[in-house]
Amino acid sequence: MNIILLGPPGAGKGTQAARLVERHGMRQLSTGDMLRAAVKAETPTGLKVKAIMEAGELVSDEIVSTLISEELVALPQTVGLIFDGYPRTAAQAQQLDDILARHHRKLDRVVELEVDEDALVERITGRFSCANCGAPYHDRYKLPKVAGTCDVCGSHDFKRRPDDNEATVRTRMAEYRAKTAPILPYYQERGLVRKIDGMAPVEDVAASIDEILGQ
């Protein structure tokens, strides 16, 4: 089963992708991670990407397509794919179809995690973590059992991501809507899109995805 996970930052795509990888042996293909890995490994494509990024330019769709193709060469047909952060335009969606066809695969589902913007702002802006071990907490949903002390390691130091603020979150939401608007009709016409409540508890979201995938 090959799928695309859609949803704005904070909707839980990463959490659900990790569960699919762990429970069903799927492979998550995040273009950002692939670009960074290629640069670090200094592959021919990675060296090209590094030069482009150092020049402050955008990586072309052609290079992203090459990275995806290189990943698929090494994967057995039995391993399902999870695309995260790609495609973002109608042109990329068409390119992905071509890439999958060349590797004798097809896209089976597009799963969109729908969210309430105000609730998502609260979810994201309330996040913080232990500065020592990284244990996650939340102002409303998961405070340390002892105030000011990490449940896991006992540290008293905590941190928040600088971009976890309301203005940034709402900007990212607007960017997401602008980027996904062109590709949803492309997949809706083929009956591939399934929408689920991304604000539901993690276990419920996972169960909904499993149901969609027939797992």
Side-chain angles (χ1 to χ4, degrees), residues 51-68:
I52 292 171
M53 295 174 69
E54 288 178 346
E57 300 173 357
L58 294 176
V59 177
S60 69
D61 287 351
E62 181 182 357
I63 290 177
V64 173
S65 296
T66 299
L67 281 174
I68 293 173

Side-chain angles (χ1 to χ4, degrees), residues 39-200:
V39 170
K40 184 177 181 179
E42 298 186 339
T43 65
T45 303
L47 293 174
K48 187 183 297 185
V49 169
K50 183 179 180 180
I52 292 171
M53 295 174 69
E54 288 178 346
E57 300 173 357
L58 294 176
V59 177
S60 69
D61 287 351
E62 181 182 357
I63 290 177
V64 173
S65 296
T66 299
L67 281 174
I68 293 173
S69 292
E70 290 173 351
E71 288 283 336
L72 296 189
V73 166
L75 285 178
Q77 292 285 327
T78 53
V79 176
L81 308 174
I82 308 164
F83 291 95
D84 176 12
Y86 180 92
R88 291 184 175 177
T89 66
Q92 289 179 349
Q94 293 172 346
Q95 288 176 348
L96 179 58
D97 283 342
D98 293 339
I99 294 169
L100 291 174
R102 288 199 299 271
H103 292 274
H104 308 290
R105 292 176 180 263
K106 66 180 179 66
L107 190 65
D108 297 293
R109 289 286 182 267
V110 177
V111 181
E112 183 179 18
L113 304 181
E114 294 187 302
V115 300
D116 176 271
E117 183 167 331
D118 291 335
L120 186 65
V121 168
E122 180 185 53
R123 176 193 283 183
I124 294 177
T125 57
R127 298 188 302 198
F128 64 100
S129 62
C130 174
N132 181 54
C133 71
Y137 296 96
H138 193 277
D139 291 330
R140 180 174 179 180
Y141 305 112
K142 189 183 178 184
L143 287 169
K145 295 174 182 177
V146 177
T149 303
C150 176
D151 298 343
V152 178
C153 71
S155 172
H156 301 295
D157 295 323
F158 296 89
K159 63 180 181 180
R160 296 178 188 268
R161 286 176 47 173
D163 57 345
D164 278 356
N165 60 78
E166 181 171 353
T168 300
V169 173
R170 293 195 185 278
T171 296
R172 293 201 306 244
M173 286 286 294
E175 289 176 350
Y176 167 74
R177 287 192 296 270
K179 289 175 180 177
T180 56
I183 68 170
L184 275 174
Y186 180 77
Y187 292 122
Q188 284 169 335
E189 290 174 359
R190 294 157 57 186
L192 297 179
V193 179
R194 300 291 185 274
K195 299 176 182 288
I196 60 177
D197 180 10
M199 303 307 297

Side-chain angles (χ1 to χ4, degrees), residues 15-30:
T15 297
Q16 296 302 328
R19 292 176 69 91
L20 289 169
V21 169
E22 180 180 353
R23 295 172 62 186
H24 304 303
M26 299 177 75
R27 176 67 175 272
Q28 181 181 7
L29 296 180
S30 168

